[in-house]
Amino acid sequence: MKPREIAALLRMEVLLDLRQKHAWGGMLLYVVSAVYVCFLAVKGGLGTATWNALFWIILLFAAFNALARSFQREDTGRQLYLYTLADPRSVVLARTLYNAATMTVLSLLSLLFFALFVGSEAMEQADLPQFLGAVVLGGIGFATVLTLISAIAARAGNGLGLMAILGFPIVLPMLIAVMRASKLALDGVAFSVNGKYFLGLALLDLITVLLAWMLFPYLWRD
Amino acid sequence: MKHWWWKILAVVLVLAASITALKVPLKPALVHVSPDRIAPGPVTLEITGYNTAFKDGERVFLMNDGQYVCPSGVEVVNDHFLRARFEVPAGLKANLTDVYAGRVHMNGALFTEGLGKGIVAPQGCGPGPKFIDLFDFAFPNRNILYETIRNLNFHVPMWFTMMVLFGISVVASIRALGSNDLRHDMAADLSARTGLVFCTLGLITGSIWARATWGAWWTNDVKLNGAAVSALIYLAYLVLRGSVPEPGKRARLAAIYNVFAFVLLILFIWILPRLNAVDSLHPGNGGNPAFSNYDLDSTLRVVFYPAVLGWIGIGVWMYTLRLRLARLQHHLDDANHP
């Protein structure tokens, strides 16, 4: 653990993304398009369960789209340069943190667009802090799982296609738990009942980060 | 004989368990009583049994809260069907009445009307002397399950074998990461492939069983989700292997994915049933009684454990055979292209 190295790497990520504004634009456009397709397809009047399912499907695919580029933007030369400068574990932690932050913002923005277009009737009875908590925790969960998957897919030299195949079965458990948690939050169930889902999700996130931290150095060897 | 005794044992166990699992009869039981309600007055009950041997003079009676009602006449039609006439008295205590016919009975078979404080002068009938048959080895006869209960000895061992093979695969992957030795990578690959064979068999046997008992080929159930995730993970593992041409890199990427996915799969199988405990049709999950509750005299267990051991042996044998074949192929390729 080298906090200063991680901070420096995080700063690099932010700077790179600020320089490539089209990347963020692309992610947002993807979400808005997906939401608009849903809006055209269903035209409001959804039940809570369907509303919740649609939202998570959109967020899932947005996450795949956003995180696929996480390790893709480095060509071999720059990767090699980075290896000589930093500990691989710092790199994966910094990137996981950055992806988690990205997904937090992206999931809240997705929710905003989704509520705007598809309607927010489903959120009327919701326990709002709990629901937002589920959305953010779900986004962070996707980010932690898909960071390592994105690295594997990028190393295999096959982009989004392979990432979807590798990532989907691993994200599925998280998706089931987070969909359940957010559905219960939308129904206004008390945190004392719903809390175990949050605990389970947090535990999954933690173990995922730990696994990525342990496995990533092997991925870097070449 | 030194190191292949376990292969013989596995074959013998699987054959013995499979034949026993198919041949052992179900315990006799009453499966249907019609009508399903009685009121004071005369009634003729049609009683259908399964694997029963009704004979003339069969001991038929009703029991309501410990009080017996005797028939006024019994007509045995065949081994598993009889009609019994009753003069139901007024004033039975409990609103469910049990039906007894010979050695079998059905609890709560009849909804009872005209309740009171009990009938006067219980009549002279009731259970006969306890009959114990030492050679009475039979599987439990359960509602809904009936003959499909035998599938326990085929369906469940497939999952045990699959998990053992995936476990071998992960251990080999960890060793491949530690040593950079391609032989471990080959072991991880082939055990995962063999595990997928058992995964497929488990899905097929389970799907047929689900159709027969629950009425659908696939249901939303924690165990089925776990099975789907494991199948998808190892199919993705094979896709990943297929998309990296260079052996060393392939070994490393595949091993990383294998370890990552397997740990998350175990967590999933372990955590999720604890999160939504209401969501399963499987025995022992979602508040359903475990299979051990059906198996009060352990007749299933006697067949089930040998079946599990035998199938694990067969699975591991399959994997070692494939591994030896792949190694020979590898040597052959090396010899041909030095």
Side-chain angles (χ1 to χ4, degrees), chain B residues 83-164:
Chain B
R83 289 193 192 91
R85 283 183 304 283
F86 289 90
E87 200 64 43
V88 180
L92 289 167
K93 266 193 255 178
N95 54 19
L96 287 177
T97 301
D98 308 335
V99 176
Y100 283 73
R103 293 166 57 197
V104 292
H105 63 99
M106 187 188 243
N107 283 335
L110 299 168
F111 186 76
T112 312
E113 290 168 11
L115 299 185
K117 291 197 168 124
I119 47 179
V120 278
Q123 299 145 48
C125 68
K130 195 116 182 141
F131 185 79
I132 297 167
D133 185 351
L134 284 178
F135 299 101
D136 186 20
F137 187 79
F139 286 147
N141 189 336
R142 305 293 308 195
N143 241 343
I144 300 175
L145 282 171
Y146 301 120
E147 293 280 359
T148 69
I149 205 164
R150 308 167 188 288
N151 197 10
L152 176 81
N153 302 309
F154 297 94
H155 173 63
V156 184
M158 297 304 146
W159 298 119
F160 278 71
T161 314
M162 181 197 81
M163 283 320 282
V164 167

Side-chain angles (χ1 to χ4, degrees), chain A residues 51-162:
Chain A
W51 188 89
N52 186 45
L54 266 182
F55 172 69
W56 281 105
I57 291 170
I58 290 177
L59 195 58
L60 178 71
F61 283 94
F64 271 102
N65 186 50
L67 300 173
R69 48 179 213 104
S70 171
F71 282 86
Q72 222 121 70
R73 61 180 166 212
E74 271 135 33
D75 48 39
T76 332
R78 191 155 80 192
Q79 203 178 13
L80 209 60
Y81 179 56
L82 204 57
Y83 297 166
T84 57
L85 290 180
D87 181 5
R89 294 200 158 131
S90 307
V91 173
V92 77
L93 279 186
R95 208 149 285 186
T96 305
L97 281 175
Y98 183 71
N99 285 343
T102 310
M103 277 310 296
T104 306
V105 176
L106 192 66
S107 48
L108 289 175
L109 283 176
S110 307
L111 181 62
L112 183 72
F113 287 127
F114 193 71
L116 214 61
F117 283 108
V118 182
S120 57
E121 296 92 40
M123 281 160 68
E124 269 160 19
Q125 296 190 338
D127 181 339
L128 213 55
Q130 228 189 101
F131 177 63
L132 291 179
V135 170
V136 169
L137 210 57
I140 293 175
F142 293 164
T144 54
V145 171
L146 293 180
T147 301
L148 188 70
I149 296 298
S150 157
I152 295 176
R155 295 290 272 165
N158 190 337
L160 195 55
L162 192 57

Side-chain angles (χ1 to χ4, degrees), chain A residues 16-52:
Chain A
L16 278 175
D17 256 10
L18 282 178
R19 250 181 246 165
Q20 303 179 314
K21 292 204 180 63
H22 65 272
W24 265 95
M27 284 194 294
L28 286 182
L29 202 58
Y30 188 91
V31 169
V32 173
S33 318
V35 168
Y36 204 75
V37 168
C38 283
F39 162 69
L40 287 178
V42 298
K43 299 201 170 115
L46 292 175
T48 316
T50 324
W51 188 89
N52 186 45

Side-chain angles (χ1 to χ4, degrees), chain A residues 144-145 148-149 152 155-158 162 165-170 172-173 176-177 180 196-197 200 203-204 207-208 211-212 215 218-219 221-222, chain B residues 177-178 180 220 225 229 232-233 236-237 239-240 243-244 246 249 252-253 256-257 259-261 263-264 267-268 270-272 274-277 279:
Chain A
T144 54
V145 171
L148 188 70
I149 296 298
I152 295 176
R155 295 290 272 165
N158 190 337
L162 192 57
I165 292 167
L166 296 181
F168 185 69
I170 308 192
L172 203 67
I176 293 172
R180 204 62 61 89
K196 59 184 183 178
Y197 287 99
L203 194 70
L204 266 178
I207 292 172
T208 314
L211 277 173
L215 291 171
Y218 295 104
L219 199 64
R221 257 193 253 150
D222 221 3
Chain B
L177 279 181
N180 271 336
N220 189 357
N225 287 334
V229 168
L232 285 175
I233 282 176
Y237 172 78
V239 171
L240 175 64
S243 65
V244 185
E246 197 230 308
K249 195 176 183 182
R252 223 167 35 246
L253 291 184
I256 291 168
Y257 184 70
V259 175
F260 191 56
V263 174
L264 291 181
L267 276 178
F268 174 51
W270 182 71
I271 287 182
L272 218 68
R274 281 159 184 76
L275 286 182
N276 31 335
D279 235 42

Side-chain angles (χ1 to χ4, degrees), chain B residues 1-41:
Chain B
M1 198 60 197
K2 251 181 194 157
H3 52 269
W4 41 275
W5 59 270
W6 60 274
K7 296 173 186 170
I8 297 176
L9 182 68
V11 172
V12 169
L13 283 178
V14 163
L15 281 178
S18 301
I19 292 170
T20 322
L22 291 174
K23 280 292 201 189
V24 168
L26 289 195
K27 287 204 171 71
L30 291 186
V31 292
H32 192 64
V33 175
S34 166
D36 59 1
R37 55 174 58 224
I38 49 172

Side-chain angles (χ1 to χ4, degrees), chain B residues 6-7 165 168-169 172 175 181-194 237 241 314-332:
Chain B
W6 60 274
K7 296 173 186 170
L165 285 165
I168 292 175
S169 177
R175 292 173 74 183
D181 189 340
L182 285 182
R183 277 180 306 178
H184 293 313
D185 180 53
M186 196 186 269
D189 179 26
L190 292 168
S191 52
R193 280 170 201 268
T194 316
Y237 172 78
R241 296 189 67 90
I314 294 279
V316 173
W317 188 14
M318 274 168 73
Y319 148 67
T320 52
L321 279 178
R322 294 182 81 160
L323 187 61
R324 279 161 65 192
L325 194 66
R327 277 184 187 156
L328 288 174
Q329 191 70 49
H330 189 70
H331 285 309
L332 202 64

